[in-house]
């Protein structure tokens, strides 16, 4: 009873401040509201993530109140999404100042993040469907909000098509689930009695539908085009998109884990995600446009996240989604500083750098082996060990091996140690907070992990060999990746034509 009352009070306060935030967003659509009201709005939308964080810290277990499901996972995701929305809107106060749709951006950003948080707080599948649909609709409108720009309108239409297909597929899956189980409540659907009503064919077909509705907004192969075309959106919109919406596939598959676990669809997800990792990494390496590099990175990272789901490691997938969201939103908000002028060229000792690189590689290898030995029978641990070892070696190379002089390397070591401490702390905290809310899943066998590892390593080795050989095949792959990541003709303008039209009409251009 105490847990119920605690969550009832937290949920009541949360919905109140969330409602106030939505009302504040509506106010900005009124022409008489001054532009300076945006700063007041920022203060108002700071309340929901604070309340969600306090509810998360209280950690009183899982409680279902009406159509809502309150547990540590739903509170964590609400805290994460609403915090990202708050940071981005605060950043946009100056970044978007002077835009014709200035106040509309804040309204749509608020609606989108609120709908995203409510979607995964709901226990009723109909509310989940509505919340996720509003989220995708809000994102579509944000991409094309600069209506006078033909390129933005076209990118918005492309995203709308992909999102509509994804939402329609989810609708079919949810209606199918209700027809078989007789329940709209997710908690009832995932009960043993309800799952027993699904035969093998029905379960596989429903999981395939859920898989498709997940990988489309996650920009996984072959549905990555919409995310590549969305780079025309303002940088704050890209930050929200990559941090709070693209990575929602992890929580979707986590919520449906009892239905998804043990099904052959996990293998399908594993294959598609592995292809996405390779393609996303290739796009990131060949692109010269900074935002498209970030898009390629997101495609690859979402691939790794879904691989974790396919292997039954849902805690790792949620942790990955949150950390990637924070990291990627930071990179987007710093996109303007990507081009540095008059950067001094540092003359480094090649021999000295090579020694430090070898040290970093050895350190990554040792840590990867040590991590795998903690649970050598789980297929996910082998893949995770590879990612950890590679990340350690890369971080060491960037922070220490390429440091300038002794001071630069010492500073790099301090940053490296700090990042390691933060990573370990976050992992421990998430494991403590989410151990009751996230299903352990059916861990895939070590053979599945070895197979995935071999595919990734062999493909990477072949790609590296082809590039170094400068063969005809390597040039074909290189050009194919460039073409895959480049925008179509409708998304390119030699100069912003809509600005010319505004000037010819005597309008003000900010």
């Amino acid at each position: 009873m105490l847990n119920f009352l605690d969550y009832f009070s937290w949920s009541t306060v949360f919905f109140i401040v969330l409602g106030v935030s939505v009302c504040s967003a509506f106010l900005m659509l009124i022409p008489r509201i001054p532009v300076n009201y945006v700063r007041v709005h920022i203060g108002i939308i700071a309340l929901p993530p604070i309340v969600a964080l306090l509810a998360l810290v209280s950690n009183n277990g899982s409680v279902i109140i009406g159509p809502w499901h309150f547990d540590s996972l739903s509170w964590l995701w609400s805290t994460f999404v609403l915090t990202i929305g708050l940071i981005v809107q605060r950043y946009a106060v100056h970044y978007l100042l002077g835009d014709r749709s200035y106040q509309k951006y804040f309204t749509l950003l608020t609606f989108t993040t609120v709908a995203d948080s409510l979607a995964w707080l709901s226990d009723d599948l109909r509310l989940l469907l509505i919340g996720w649909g509003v989220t995708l609709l809000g994102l579509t409108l944000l991409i094309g909000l600069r209506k006078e720009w033909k390129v933005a309108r076209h990118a918005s239409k492309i995203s709308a098509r992909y999102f509509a297909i994804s939402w329609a597929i989810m609708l079919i899956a949810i209606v199918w689930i209700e027809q078989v189980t007789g329940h709209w409540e997710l908690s009832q659907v995932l009960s043993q009695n309800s799952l027993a009503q699904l035969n093998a064919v029905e379960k596989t077909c429903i999981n395939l539908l859920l898989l498709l509705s997940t990988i489309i907004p996650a920009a996984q192969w072959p549905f990555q085009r919409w995310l590549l075309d969305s780079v025309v959106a303002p940088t704050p919109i890209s930050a929200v998109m990559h941090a709070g919406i693209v990575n929602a596939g992890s929580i979707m598959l986590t919520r449906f884990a009892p239905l998804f676990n043990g099904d052959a669809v996990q293998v399908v997800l594993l294959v598609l995600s592995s292809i996405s990792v390779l393609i996303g990494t290739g796009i990131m390496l060949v692109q010269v446009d900074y935002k498209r590099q970030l898009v390629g990175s997101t495609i690859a990272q979402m691939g790794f996240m879904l691989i974790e789901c396919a292997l039954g490691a849902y805690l790792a997938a949620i942790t990955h989604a949150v950390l990637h969201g924070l990291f990627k939103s930071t990179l987007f908000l710093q996109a303007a500083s990507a081009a540095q002028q008059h950067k001094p060229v540092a003359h480094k000792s090649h021999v000295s750098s090579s020694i430090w690189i070898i040290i970093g590689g050895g350190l990554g290898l040792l840590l990867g082996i040590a991590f795998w030995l903690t649970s050598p029978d789980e297929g996910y641990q082998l893949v995770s060990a590879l990612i950890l070892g590679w990340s350690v070696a890369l971080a060491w190379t960037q922070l220490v091996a390429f440091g300038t002089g002794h001071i630069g390397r010492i500073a790099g070591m301090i940053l490296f140690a700090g990042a390691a401490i933060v990573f370990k702390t976050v992992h421990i905290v998430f494991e403590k907070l989410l151990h009751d809310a996230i299903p352990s899943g059916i861990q895939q066998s070590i053979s599945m992990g070895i197979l995935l590892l071999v595919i990734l390593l062999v493909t990477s080795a072949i790609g590296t060999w082809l590039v170094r050989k400068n063969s005809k095949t390597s040039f074909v792959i290189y050009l194919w990746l460039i073409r895959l990541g480049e925008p179509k003709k409708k998304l390119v303008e030699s100069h912003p034509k809509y600005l010319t039209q505004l000037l010819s009409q005597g309008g003000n251009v900010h």
Side-chain angles (χ1 to χ4, degrees):
M1 178 62 70
L2 179 61
N3 290 350
F4 177 83
L5 291 176
D6 286 345
Y7 264 134
F8 183 78
S9 60
W10 281 123
S11 62
T12 302
V13 175
F14 179 72
F15 284 129
I16 289 174
V17 295
L18 212 59
V20 174
S21 298
V22 172
C23 291
S24 175
F26 267 119
L27 283 176
M28 285 189 293
L29 295 178
I30 301 175
R32 294 183 180 180
I33 297 297
V35 174
N36 290 335
Y37 178 77
V38 168
R39 297 182 181 276
V40 178
H41 176 71
I42 299 299
I44 293 174
I45 65 172
L47 297 177
I50 293 174
V51 175
L53 178 61
L54 293 174
L56 172 64
V57 173
S58 65
N59 196 20
N60 290 314
S62 177
V63 175
I64 296 175
I65 303 175
W68 307 105
H69 183 192
F70 300 100
D71 62 0
S72 54
L73 177 58
S74 59
W75 283 124
L76 172 65
W77 198 259
S78 294
T79 303
F80 166 66
V81 171
L82 294 171
T83 300
I84 291 293
L86 171 63
I87 294 171
V88 167
Q89 290 196 50
R90 179 63 186 87
Y91 177 87
V93 170
H94 294 291
Y95 186 91
L96 295 175
L97 187 61
D99 194 289
R100 276 187 165 187
S101 303
Y102 182 67
Q103 290 170 277
K104 291 182 181 179
Y105 276 110
F106 293 93
T107 300
L108 285 174
L109 280 169
T110 302
F111 286 161
T112 302
T113 52
V114 167
D116 193 16
S117 63
L118 290 178
W120 309 113
L121 273 170
S122 60
D123 186 53
D124 192 308
L125 291 174
R126 291 166 294 188
L127 283 179
L128 188 154
L129 189 66
I130 293 172
W132 184 236
V134 173
T135 301
L136 296 178
L137 176 61
L139 183 57
T140 302
L141 295 175
L142 283 167
I143 294 173
L145 191 55
R146 194 167 290 171
K147 296 179 181 180
E148 64 274 14
W149 191 17
K150 187 177 179 180
V151 169
R153 294 201 309 270
H154 186 72
S156 180
K157 290 179 181 178
I158 293 175
S159 299
R161 293 193 197 105
Y162 279 90
F163 293 160
I165 294 172
S166 173
W167 190 85
I169 292 173
M170 179 182 284
L171 173 63
I172 295 171
I174 287 177
V175 171
W176 193 344
I177 290 173
E178 192 278 333
Q179 291 298 313
V180 175
T181 64
H183 297 289
W184 288 109
E185 296 79 15
L186 184 59
S187 56
Q188 294 294 328
V189 169
L190 299 180
S191 65
Q192 292 184 355
N193 292 333
S194 296
L195 292 177
Q197 299 179 39
L198 294 169
N199 59 48
V201 176
E202 287 177 329
K203 183 179 179 182
T204 299
C205 291
I206 291 173
N207 281 325
L208 278 174
L209 292 174
L210 292 174
L211 173 62
L212 281 174
S213 67
T214 299
I215 64 175
I216 292 175
Q220 295 296 280
W221 182 85
F223 307 107
Q224 73 283 348
R225 170 51 56 185
W226 76 266
L227 189 62
L228 288 164
D229 292 341
S230 70
V231 296
V232 301
T235 298
I237 309 306
S238 297
V240 168
M241 189 190 313
H242 286 252
I245 297 172
V246 175
N247 54 2
S250 59
I251 190 171
M252 183 183 295
L253 294 179
T254 300
R255 282 303 193 198
F256 285 94
L259 178 65
F260 193 69
N261 286 336
D263 195 80
V265 177
Q266 286 183 282
V267 179
V268 178
L269 177 59
L270 200 65
V271 173
L272 292 177
S273 301
S274 300
I275 295 174
S276 300
V277 169
L278 296 171
I279 290 177
T281 304
I283 292 175
M284 179 184 65
L285 293 175
V286 303
Q287 278 294 321
V288 294
D289 185 298
Y290 183 65
K291 289 186 72 174
R292 290 185 178 274
Q293 289 177 4
L294 294 180
V295 170
S297 171
T298 295
I299 294 171
Q301 290 295 326
M302 292 305 97
F304 275 121
M305 182 194 72
L306 293 178
I307 284 174
E308 292 160 351
C309 291
L311 294 174
Y314 296 105
L315 176 61
I318 293 295
T319 305
H320 188 169
V322 173
L323 292 179
H324 171 267
L326 294 172
F327 176 67
K328 191 55 63 73
S329 62
T330 302
L331 290 181
F332 268 105
L333 296 182
Q334 291 182 339
S337 62
Q340 300 180 3
Q341 298 181 356
H342 308 296
K343 185 175 181 180
V345 179
H347 299 281
K348 303 180 180 68
S349 171
H350 178 73
V351 176
S352 177
S353 297
S354 299
I355 294 174
W356 284 101
I357 291 174
I358 294 173
I359 294 174
L363 180 62
L365 179 63
L366 291 175
L367 289 177
I369 293 174
F371 185 81
W372 176 57
L373 291 177
T374 57
S375 301
D377 296 329
E378 296 179 1
Y380 164 71
Q381 291 294 94
L382 184 61
V383 180
S384 187
L386 171 67
I387 297 173
L388 177 63
W390 177 80
S391 300
V392 168
L394 180 63
W396 180 275
T397 301
Q398 296 295 325
L399 295 174
V400 180
F402 290 160
T404 305
H406 296 295
I407 296 178
R409 290 201 172 99
I410 292 174
M413 289 181 184
I414 294 173
L415 289 173
F416 180 84
I421 294 172
V422 169
F423 171 80
K424 187 63 178 179
T425 302
V426 169
H427 183 77
I428 293 173
V429 171
F430 277 27
E431 188 174 15
K432 183 178 179 180
L433 287 174
L434 304 176
H435 70 282
D436 292 331
I438 293 185
S440 57
I442 298 177
Q443 296 287 345
Q444 296 289 346
S445 64
I446 186 64
S447 59
M448 184 65 72
I450 292 176
L451 176 61
L452 176 62
L453 186 61
V454 168
I455 291 174
L456 293 176
L457 289 178
V458 170
T459 308
S460 301
I462 292 175
T464 303
W465 178 75
L466 288 174
V467 170
R468 291 185 175 180
K469 189 180 179 181
N470 289 329
S471 64
K472 182 179 179 180
T473 306
S474 66
F475 287 116
V476 170
I477 294 175
Y478 175 78
L479 293 174
W480 176 72
L481 288 171
I482 289 181
R483 183 179 179 183
L484 196 64
E486 284 294 300
K488 296 181 179 179
K489 291 182 178 180
K490 292 183 179 181
L491 290 166
V492 177
E493 285 184 349
S494 58
H495 62 281
K497 297 178 182 178
Y498 75 94
L499 293 179
T500 304
Q501 294 173 356
L502 287 175
L503 287 173
S504 63
Q505 296 170 4
N508 292 325
V509 180
H510 298 283

